[in-house]
Amino acid sequence: MDSVNSPPDSALKALTSSAAERNSAAIMEVLRAHLPDRGRVLEIAAGSGQHAAAFAAALPGLDWTPSDPSPEARASIEAWRMTTDAANLRPARAIDMLDEATWPDAATHPPLDAIICINMIHISPWAATQGLMRLAERSLMRPGGLLYLYGPYREADVPLAPSNAAFDDSLKARDAAWGLRDRGEVETLARSHGLIPTLRRDMPANNLSLIFRRV
């Protein structure tokens, strides 16, 4: 799980994540290559808000809405939003993958072009991943709509890195419902919701970037 520390004095509510600082550039490289030039993006479990601020500023053609179920995280996201002049970065929404009542209403909200979810799947119960796929199915209504996932995974044909094995043990010690997910199981779930895997890319520190497209 990302470590979130106290912010600098210049942003009293802006939390900082050392992991977000490390992985932002590598993730940005993937997003820049695969996101559309224009469209509507929803970021799930946006955490500290560092990614949202950086990505929205770097991709001005995208209308970027971060979300997180935590009030503390949303306060941090807003603080980071105030540090950037990115007019395309929207206020954070209180969206929880375990509470469908908080999700955007497909009948009243325009369809999304992309959903971004970084470092949530292993730090939440499997039901949160199931919710994410249901949300993607109903919100990415146009063919080609993109779901981007980032984080560590188990893979049947790839030995688990010792650091990831230790991380998995630490997550399960904190909550038995947490832990690294099997990539094949995630892809099977995605397919059942009309999302086809189109990219698997190795990332630093034994993480993966996964992209799925709406059919």
Side-chain angles (χ1 to χ4, degrees):
M1 184 175 183
D2 291 3
S3 58
V4 177
N5 307 308
S6 297
D9 291 341
S10 60
L12 295 180
K13 293 183 179 178
L15 304 176
T16 60
S17 163
S18 56
E21 291 177 352
R22 291 193 302 269
N23 62 32
S24 182
I27 293 174
M28 184 69 254
E29 181 181 347
V30 178
L31 295 182
R32 193 185 296 277
H34 294 279
L35 287 177
D37 292 334
R38 297 191 175 275
R40 298 179 65 249
V41 177
L42 175 64
E43 183 181 357
I44 298 298
S48 69
Q50 288 164 269
H51 283 145
F55 299 161
L59 302 167
L62 295 174
D63 186 278
W64 196 285
T65 300
S67 72
D68 202 285
S70 163
E72 182 183 26
R74 293 195 301 276
S76 179
I77 294 167
E78 179 62 15
W80 279 103
R81 190 172 78 91
M82 299 305 294
T83 69
T84 176
D85 59 0
N88 59 320
L89 180 57
R90 306 303 178 185
R93 298 187 57 180
I95 297 176
D96 187 341
M97 290 300 93
L98 298 176
D99 183 1
E100 193 163 346
T102 68
W103 300 358
D105 185 348
T108 59
H109 285 76
L112 297 170
D113 297 286
I115 294 175
I116 310 298
C117 185
I118 297 168
N119 283 333
M120 182 202 80
I121 286 181
H122 54 287
I123 314 178
S124 61
W126 179 243
T129 303
Q130 294 173 319
L132 175 64
M133 297 302 177
R134 293 200 306 276
L135 173 66
E137 180 179 22
R138 82 180 199 184
S139 298
L140 298 172
M141 291 186 284
R142 301 188 184 101
L146 180 150
L147 171 64
Y148 173 83
L149 305 180
Y150 171 92
Y153 290 86
R154 292 182 176 272
E155 297 182 283
D157 54 347
V158 180
L160 187 64
S163 59
N164 277 358
F167 185 39
D168 187 43
D169 288 343
S170 70
L171 290 172
K172 291 175 179 175
R174 294 170 60 186
D175 189 320
W178 294 2
L180 273 61
R181 308 300 177 189
D182 180 83
R183 179 172 64 87
E185 292 180 2
V186 173
E187 291 182 351
T188 296
L189 176 64
R191 289 179 185 276
S192 73
H193 290 280
L195 299 158
I196 302 303
T198 60
L199 178 76
R200 174 208 174 278
R201 178 168 171 175
D202 289 316
M203 301 292 281
N206 299 308
N207 289 295
L208 296 178
S209 279
L210 303 178
I211 288 180
F212 302 82
R213 295 279 186 176
R214 188 75 163 87
V215 293

